[in-house]
Amino acid sequence: MGVRYFVFLGFSLTGTLRSAFLIQGKSKMTISLSSTFAKDFDYSAALKKISKGSSVAELPSILKAVEKPEQAKNYDIWQQLDVDGNIVAIKQLLPFQEACLLRGLDKKLVKTLPNKPVWLTVKAEAEALSYIPKLDSAYQPSFSHCLKLIDLANRVNKVGYGRAYYGYGEAGCGKTSMALWFTALLGIPVEQFNCSETTVMDDIMVRQVPAPQKEGEEVNNAWISVDGPALRALKKGWWLLVDELDLAPASLPPALNDLVEGHSYAVSGMATQVKANDNFRLLSFGNTGFSCAERGSYNGRNILDASFKSRCIVDKYDNLSKTMIQGMLIKNYNCGSDFARSCANFFDGVNKFLESNNSCELLTPRNMGQFVEAALGNNEVVKHPLAFAVATAIPATEEDVELKDSVMSLLTAHFSDVLPNTDTISMWEERYDAFVPPKAEKDAPQDSDGDNASESQDANTMTVNDTEVAIS
């Protein structure tokens, strides 16, 4: 029997629940769930549009299982169950590009991404919804990072053959952004934890919190144990994102091996051992690779254990290009393209100077964001907003005279249209001086409201040395 297309219905833009239907000719099966996922797009309408005119060799199967079905074909429906047999999520196996289109991503971007099958969450229980990241539809993922995360998601982690994910690269190069974009796209709940120099396994497994007090009871300062992020993720079959893993003690990564491979794990204070089901995944990130050969700004980080390395899909994140940084600034700070380009070129010049002087620390995209925020946010607040932004985003310029002189020279070179013939010495000395609006001329032209036209300033201009210059 030929099936032209099928549609899995049930999304509500208002949040009011409807039943979900699988349409196959005239047959209909009703599935209900307590909550909907991704209320910001109409799944049924989108899938109709994508599937129209296509053919499916076999009828989609309805699979009920706690763990990911091993034998599934494209367009199959998976009713994910908890250990008590309750439906906690409804997912559909789709080519990745179709999943991206369903989530409303740009078609040109989607064509550049892998097209391996993935499980897309169609509905999820209410508790899981609060742990699914918000999708940033403007994010620009790379093919290689997507491919490795898809491979991680599609694995069946049998005992002895489990895989985790370790992504590394300079601060601010988009590591966690990539992971959160991917999990948001597919509707995967994520628990997050940041490591420190003292983090141990118990810190991510259990937490001590003050015991609840009944009204009128005497305070007894009692504490109780509650599930930590890792234990919650293990029990629920969610993903666990551990950031700054190379900052943690060297004993932590190998302690994660049992979780990755699905072995039972003894947790302090629990009578029974815990075991992750196949839906659990470990996403870990750091600034250094496995050789710790990176720049000295990450000295003190630990070389990750070889046993953990052998269980990881390793993914190196390159620094953002000037074009990518320019796009990021335009998107996040709503600044003009010319201003964003000057900022990207300026920071590239500063980093090249730092590299040539064997500096142990380079500037990151976060520093650039600080620069733009400080400059645009303090226009008409300080006399020299760009110099103020340099001191804010590159604090070492306050102490290192050579660095300050070089940075200020680069500033005037890359912002020559904004800073014509500027005295960098005076500009730096007056970086914290308050902005004083230029006095209106006695016979200044009047605008339509009767105010001096010279006193009004467009939002896309910046005042430098008492002169308005365009920043867009």
Side-chain angles (χ1 to χ4, degrees), residues 172-213:
C173 66
K175 301 183 294 296
T176 53
S177 296
M178 179 67 218
L180 295 176
W181 177 88
F182 182 83
T183 52
L185 179 83
L186 299 184
I188 300 171
V190 181
E191 282 277 8
Q192 299 184 57
F193 184 85
N194 273 55
C195 294
S196 69
E197 297 92 336
T198 60
T199 299
V200 294
M201 197 63 177
D202 281 353
D203 293 331
I204 62 175
M205 280 294 189
V206 292
R207 285 180 173 170
Q208 300 297 317
V209 298
Q213 301 286 325

Side-chain angles (χ1 to χ4, degrees), residues 131-160:
Y131 288 89
I132 297 174
K134 183 179 179 181
L135 179 65
D136 180 1
S137 58
Y139 182 78
Q140 300 288 307
S142 77
F143 179 93
S144 61
H145 300 320
C146 275
L147 184 59
K148 290 189 176 185
L149 287 169
I150 291 172
D151 287 346
L152 177 77
N154 287 345
R155 286 189 59 83
V156 177
N157 278 355
K158 295 185 179 298
V159 175

